[in-house]
Amino acid sequence: MYKKENFPVEKKSDVSQICEKICFLADDLRDILWHSKFRRQYHKIMSLTLSQQRMLQMVWRMTIDDPQGVMLKELAKALFLSNSAVSVMVENLVKRGYLERVQGEDDRRKVFIRLSEIGRKHTAESESFWGDLNERFFAGIAGDKKRVFIRVLNEFQKFLIENKECRK
Protein backbone atom coordinates (compact mmCIF):
# COMPACT_ATOMS: atom_id res chain seq x y z
CA MET A 1 0.00 0.00 0.00
CA TYR A 2 1.32 3.39 -0.97
CA LYS A 3 1.73 6.00 1.72
CA LYS A 4 1.91 9.65 0.84
CA GLU A 5 4.45 10.20 3.61
CA ASN A 6 6.92 8.02 1.66
CA PHE A 7 7.24 10.70 -0.99
CA PRO A 8 9.19 13.95 -0.76
CA VAL A 9 7.12 16.99 0.08
CA GLU A 10 6.99 19.56 -2.66
CA LYS A 11 4.62 22.27 -3.74
CA LYS A 12 2.16 20.71 -6.17
CA SER A 13 -0.73 22.15 -8.11
CA ASP A 14 -4.25 21.34 -6.97
CA VAL A 15 -4.78 19.24 -10.10
CA SER A 16 -1.59 17.28 -9.46
CA GLN A 17 -2.60 16.65 -5.85
CA ILE A 18 -6.07 15.51 -6.89
CA CYS A 19 -4.73 13.12 -9.55
CA GLU A 20 -2.18 11.73 -7.12
CA LYS A 21 -4.83 11.25 -4.44
CA ILE A 22 -7.15 9.43 -6.86
CA CYS A 23 -4.33 7.05 -7.83
CA PHE A 24 -3.46 6.41 -4.16
CA LEU A 25 -7.13 5.81 -3.32
CA ALA A 26 -7.54 3.33 -6.18
CA ASP A 27 -4.42 1.44 -5.10
CA ASP A 28 -5.47 1.46 -1.44
CA LEU A 29 -8.98 0.22 -2.28
CA ARG A 30 -7.59 -2.57 -4.46
CA ASP A 31 -5.14 -3.50 -1.68
CA ILE A 32 -7.84 -3.54 0.99
CA LEU A 33 -10.13 -5.68 -1.14
CA TRP A 34 -7.33 -8.07 -2.09
CA HIS A 35 -6.14 -8.61 1.50
CA SER A 36 -9.42 -8.44 3.39
CA LYS A 37 -12.09 -10.84 4.49
CA PHE A 38 -13.99 -9.68 1.40
CA ARG A 39 -11.40 -11.30 -0.88
CA ARG A 40 -13.45 -14.33 -1.95
CA GLN A 41 -16.58 -12.26 -2.61
CA TYR A 42 -14.54 -9.58 -4.38
CA HIS A 43 -12.92 -12.14 -6.71
CA LYS A 44 -16.27 -13.69 -7.53
CA ILE A 45 -17.70 -10.30 -8.45
CA MET A 46 -14.54 -9.26 -10.28
CA SER A 47 -14.69 -12.31 -12.54
CA LEU A 48 -15.99 -9.73 -15.01
CA THR A 49 -14.21 -6.59 -16.12
CA LEU A 50 -15.44 -3.29 -14.74
CA SER A 51 -16.88 -2.45 -18.17
CA GLN A 52 -18.80 -5.72 -18.24
CA GLN A 53 -20.10 -5.12 -14.72
CA ARG A 54 -21.09 -1.61 -15.69
CA MET A 55 -23.02 -3.03 -18.63
CA LEU A 56 -24.84 -5.54 -16.42
CA GLN A 57 -25.72 -2.77 -13.96
CA MET A 58 -27.04 -0.60 -16.79
CA VAL A 59 -29.12 -3.43 -18.28
CA TRP A 60 -30.51 -4.12 -14.81
CA ARG A 61 -31.43 -0.45 -14.26
CA MET A 62 -32.91 -0.02 -17.73
CA THR A 63 -35.07 -3.16 -17.47
CA ILE A 64 -36.51 -2.69 -13.99
CA ASP A 65 -39.70 -1.23 -15.47
CA ASP A 66 -39.48 -3.07 -18.80
CA PRO A 67 -38.59 -6.73 -18.27
CA GLN A 68 -38.77 -7.39 -22.04
CA GLY A 69 -35.27 -5.90 -22.26
CA VAL A 70 -33.36 -3.02 -23.75
CA MET A 71 -32.32 -2.50 -27.34
CA LEU A 72 -28.60 -2.43 -28.14
CA LYS A 73 -28.75 1.14 -29.48
CA GLU A 74 -30.35 2.41 -26.24
CA LEU A 75 -27.79 0.54 -24.16
CA ALA A 76 -24.91 1.98 -26.18
CA LYS A 77 -26.27 5.51 -25.71
CA ALA A 78 -26.68 5.01 -21.94
CA LEU A 79 -23.11 3.69 -21.64
CA PHE A 80 -21.63 6.41 -23.90
CA LEU A 81 -20.15 3.72 -26.15
CA SER A 82 -20.45 2.91 -29.84
CA ASN A 83 -23.00 0.36 -31.02
CA SER A 84 -20.19 -1.89 -32.25
CA ALA A 85 -18.34 -1.81 -28.91
CA VAL A 86 -21.54 -2.66 -27.04
CA SER A 87 -22.38 -5.38 -29.55
CA VAL A 88 -19.03 -7.10 -28.88
CA MET A 89 -19.49 -6.85 -25.11
CA VAL A 90 -23.07 -8.13 -25.30
CA GLU A 91 -21.97 -11.09 -27.44
CA ASN A 92 -19.28 -11.98 -24.89
CA LEU A 93 -21.72 -11.73 -21.96
CA VAL A 94 -24.33 -13.79 -23.83
CA LYS A 95 -21.75 -16.53 -24.46
CA ARG A 96 -20.79 -16.47 -20.77
CA GLY A 97 -24.44 -16.71 -19.74
CA TYR A 98 -24.89 -13.29 -18.08
CA LEU A 99 -27.14 -11.76 -20.76
CA GLU A 100 -29.73 -13.12 -23.14
CA ARG A 101 -31.22 -11.86 -26.37
CA VAL A 102 -34.98 -11.96 -26.78
CA GLN A 103 -37.02 -11.29 -29.91
CA GLY A 104 -39.64 -8.59 -29.60
CA GLU A 105 -43.19 -9.75 -28.95
CA ASP A 106 -44.76 -7.21 -31.32
CA ASP A 107 -42.00 -7.09 -33.91
CA ARG A 108 -39.85 -10.21 -34.32
CA ARG A 109 -37.14 -8.13 -36.06
CA LYS A 110 -36.44 -6.28 -32.81
CA VAL A 111 -33.96 -7.92 -30.47
CA PHE A 112 -33.90 -7.01 -26.79
CA ILE A 113 -31.14 -7.62 -24.29
CA ARG A 114 -31.82 -8.55 -20.70
CA LEU A 115 -30.13 -10.22 -17.77
CA SER A 116 -30.19 -14.00 -17.64
CA GLU A 117 -30.71 -15.80 -14.33
CA ILE A 118 -26.92 -15.89 -13.88
CA GLY A 119 -26.73 -12.17 -14.71
CA ARG A 120 -29.48 -11.31 -12.21
CA LYS A 121 -27.74 -13.31 -9.48
CA HIS A 122 -24.36 -11.74 -10.25
CA THR A 123 -25.84 -8.23 -10.32
CA ALA A 124 -27.65 -8.78 -7.00
CA GLU A 125 -24.43 -10.05 -5.38
CA SER A 126 -22.49 -7.12 -6.79
CA GLU A 127 -25.07 -4.61 -5.55
CA SER A 128 -24.99 -6.21 -2.10
CA PHE A 129 -21.17 -6.27 -1.96
CA TRP A 130 -20.68 -2.63 -3.04
CA GLY A 131 -23.65 -1.51 -0.92
CA ASP A 132 -22.14 -3.11 2.20
CA LEU A 133 -18.77 -1.58 1.42
CA ASN A 134 -20.34 1.86 0.93
CA GLU A 135 -22.23 1.58 4.22
CA ARG A 136 -19.01 0.76 6.05
CA PHE A 137 -17.18 3.60 4.34
CA PHE A 138 -19.87 6.20 4.99
CA ALA A 139 -20.66 5.02 8.54
CA GLY A 140 -18.31 7.55 10.10
CA ILE A 141 -19.04 10.43 7.73
CA ALA A 142 -21.69 13.01 8.53
CA GLY A 143 -24.61 13.36 6.10
CA ASP A 144 -23.60 16.78 4.77
CA LYS A 145 -20.04 15.65 4.07
CA LYS A 146 -21.36 12.52 2.38
CA ARG A 147 -23.57 14.59 0.06
CA VAL A 148 -20.67 16.91 -0.83
CA PHE A 149 -18.41 13.93 -1.50
CA ILE A 150 -20.97 12.29 -3.77
CA ARG A 151 -21.62 15.59 -5.58
CA VAL A 152 -17.89 16.04 -6.23
CA LEU A 153 -17.58 12.45 -7.50
CA ASN A 154 -20.55 13.01 -9.82
CA GLU A 155 -18.97 16.21 -11.16
CA PHE A 156 -15.69 14.39 -11.73
CA GLN A 157 -17.47 11.55 -13.55
CA LYS A 158 -19.40 14.08 -15.65
CA PHE A 159 -16.11 15.74 -16.62
CA LEU A 160 -14.61 12.39 -17.63
CA ILE A 161 -17.65 11.48 -19.73
CA GLU A 162 -17.75 14.87 -21.44
CA ASN A 163 -14.03 14.81 -22.18
CA LYS A 164 -13.64 11.39 -23.75
CA GLU A 165 -11.68 12.95 -26.60
CA CYS A 166 -8.79 13.36 -24.15
CA ARG A 167 -8.37 9.58 -24.16
CA LYS A 168 -7.24 9.47 -27.78
Side-chain angles (χ1 to χ4, degrees):
M1 189 175 333
Y2 297 106
K3 300 281 185 215
K4 187 169 182 164
E5 55 269 13
N6 294 341
F7 295 89
V9 178
E10 58 183 73
K11 184 88 171 143
K12 295 181 181 177
S13 70
D14 288 345
V15 173
S16 178
Q17 288 180 42
I18 291 168
C19 290
E20 181 181 88
K21 184 55 78 175
I22 289 170
C23 290
F24 285 136
L25 287 172
D27 285 339
D28 288 346
L29 178 60
R30 199 173 15 254
D31 189 58
I32 287 168
L33 292 171
W34 182 258
H35 296 290
S36 72
K37 63 182 180 181
F38 302 111
R39 184 177 181 175
R40 181 174 289 130
Q41 191 178 6
Y42 174 68
H43 282 288
K44 185 176 181 183
I45 290 167
M46 296 307 285
S47 64
L48 299 176
T49 67
L50 292 176
S51 295
Q52 290 169 330
Q53 288 199 45
R54 191 169 149 233
M55 178 176 282
L56 293 181
Q57 292 292 327
M58 187 60 72
V59 170
W60 176 68
R61 286 188 181 102
M62 293 177 80
T63 59
I64 287 173
D65 295 326
D66 188 4
Q68 182 175 359
V70 61
M71 296 191 69
L72 188 126
K73 187 175 180 179
E74 295 168 355
L75 183 58
K77 185 176 180 183
L79 292 169
F80 300 97
L81 295 171
S82 68
N83 290 351
S84 59
V86 170
S87 180
V88 170
M89 288 176 64
V90 165
E91 181 61 29
N92 182 288
L93 290 168
V94 167
K95 284 180 181 175
R96 293 179 67 185
Y98 290 94
L99 293 176
E100 56 189 22
R101 289 190 184 93
V102 181
Q103 284 186 321
E105 295 169 5
D106 300 335
D107 184 348
R108 311 273 300 156
R109 293 172 296 175
K110 288 185 178 179
V111 177
F112 294 92
I113 300 157
R114 66 182 181 199
L115 295 175
S116 66
E117 184 60 38
I118 293 169
R120 284 189 294 277
K121 183 178 178 189
H122 179 88
T123 303
E125 289 173 355
S126 178
E127 285 285 310
S128 174
F129 174 77
W130 292 112
D132 291 348
L133 203 60
N134 283 335
E135 281 184 33
R136 290 172 149 237
F137 172 74
F138 284 119
I141 299 175
D144 56 335
K145 288 183 179 179
K146 187 186 324 182
R147 284 186 290 279
V148 169
F149 179 72
I150 291 169
R151 191 171 60 239
V152 168
L153 284 177
N154 286 336
E155 288 296 318
F156 186 66
Q157 182 181 27
K158 181 181 173 188
F159 169 81
L160 293 175
I161 289 168
E162 291 173 353
N163 290 280
K164 285 194 172 205
E165 73 277 359
C166 295
R167 298 178 187 177
K168 296 177 181 174

